[in-house]
Amino acid sequence: QAGPPKQAPALLAARMSNTLTAVLVASLQLTHLATESLGRFSGRTSRSVRGGVLAMARRGRGEARTTGQSARILVTVAGHPVDEETLRLACRMARELKQSNVTPWLYAVHVIEVTRALPLSAPVHQQVEQGEQILDTAERIAAEYGLEIQTEMVQARDTGPAIVGEADDWHADMIVMGLPYKRRFGEFNLGKTTPYVLKNAPCRVVLFRERLDA
């Protein structure tokens, strides 16, 4: 007996984003979020230390106000191949939120881990240059969907606490994380960042694991 027909990856991703968006909208309605939201923009030359994290913003800091219901989606980008699919998922969710009369805010964060042998503010030019390219890609993908995205690069001792701290400071409603398929001693391994975020994040977390190719 033949099984159900396979769905095209694009159709499957679209249906998944529809479902996730519905969950997020329902969550916003249940929690009765404030009808006025305060957004933060970052700056390319701005550097500040917050809770053991050195933030290097990519746009001039300022405030933007929007009325009505809003949803804040934080996307982590680390330079892995799965980043692009993860960003596109977040962008589809944001676009669907707009169609539901919810104002979406997208925020992409790239974390540079600094070894404890160096000061947190130590210049890491090569990693910063790579981070700029990663965040430029995030802006390009968001633009394809007609969306604006805030981007920020931070230097931290550990990626997990940095992501959770950014989500808390930014009042994120959802974190979307891409998950590379990694093995340790022959077994699939989540690493240390994902479990930390799942345990400590103040909001919903969506994991998007890359496809395991045969």
Side-chain angles (χ1 to χ4, degrees):
Q1 183 177 356
K6 292 185 178 180
Q7 294 180 333
L11 177 60
L12 186 61
R15 290 183 175 177
M16 180 171 61
S17 67
N18 285 338
T19 301
L20 291 172
T21 303
V23 170
L24 182 53
V25 170
S27 175
L28 293 173
Q29 292 171 342
L30 286 172
T31 53
H32 301 286
L33 290 182
T35 57
E36 188 173 52
S37 160
L38 185 65
R40 184 184 68 181
F41 292 93
S42 318
R44 196 174 283 270
T45 59
S46 168
R47 294 164 67 93
S48 61
V49 177
R50 303 191 307 273
V53 173
L54 176 68
M56 292 172 287
R58 289 174 45 92
R59 300 189 192 280
R61 285 193 181 276
E63 294 180 350
R65 291 186 177 275
T66 180
T67 57
Q69 198 171 47
S70 67
R72 293 165 173 253
I73 303 173
L74 185 151
V75 190
T76 64
V77 285
H80 299 305
V82 73
D83 282 357
E84 180 172 348
E85 290 181 273
T86 306
L87 281 160
R88 292 189 182 280
L89 173 62
C91 287
R92 284 192 293 269
M93 291 175 61
R95 189 170 59 184
E96 290 156 11
L97 284 167
K98 290 180 70 174
Q99 295 171 356
S100 301
N101 297 319
V102 177
T103 302
W105 294 90
L106 282 173
Y107 183 37
V109 177
H110 175 68
V111 180
I112 298 172
E113 287 194 352
V114 180
T115 175
R116 285 173 171 77
L118 297 173
L120 188 60
S121 59
V124 282
H125 301 299
Q126 183 177 356
Q127 291 93 322
V128 168
E129 183 177 345
Q130 292 172 348
E132 291 283 358
Q133 294 174 358
I134 291 168
L135 294 176
D136 285 344
T137 298
E139 292 176 349
R140 175 183 58 79
I141 292 174
E144 291 178 14
Y145 289 82
L147 300 167
E148 294 185 0
I149 188 169
Q150 303 172 41
T151 59
E152 188 163 315
M153 184 162 32
V154 300
Q155 290 180 203
R157 299 301 186 194
D158 296 291
T159 300
I163 292 171
V164 171
E166 289 295 310
D168 192 35
D169 290 346
W170 193 63
H171 306 294
D173 298 301
M174 179 177 285
I175 298 172
V176 182
M177 297 180 64
L179 183 63
Y181 194 97
K182 293 183 178 179
R183 294 181 184 271
R184 182 177 174 84
F185 304 120
E187 297 291 334
F188 173 65
N189 185 266
L190 284 173
K192 64 177 183 178
T193 298
T194 299
Y196 185 95
V197 174
L198 288 174
K199 180 180 179 180
N200 297 284
C203 58
R204 294 179 183 273
V205 179
V206 172
L207 294 182
F208 189 83
R209 203 213 72 186
E210 70 178 345
R211 182 177 180 273
L212 178 59
D213 292 319

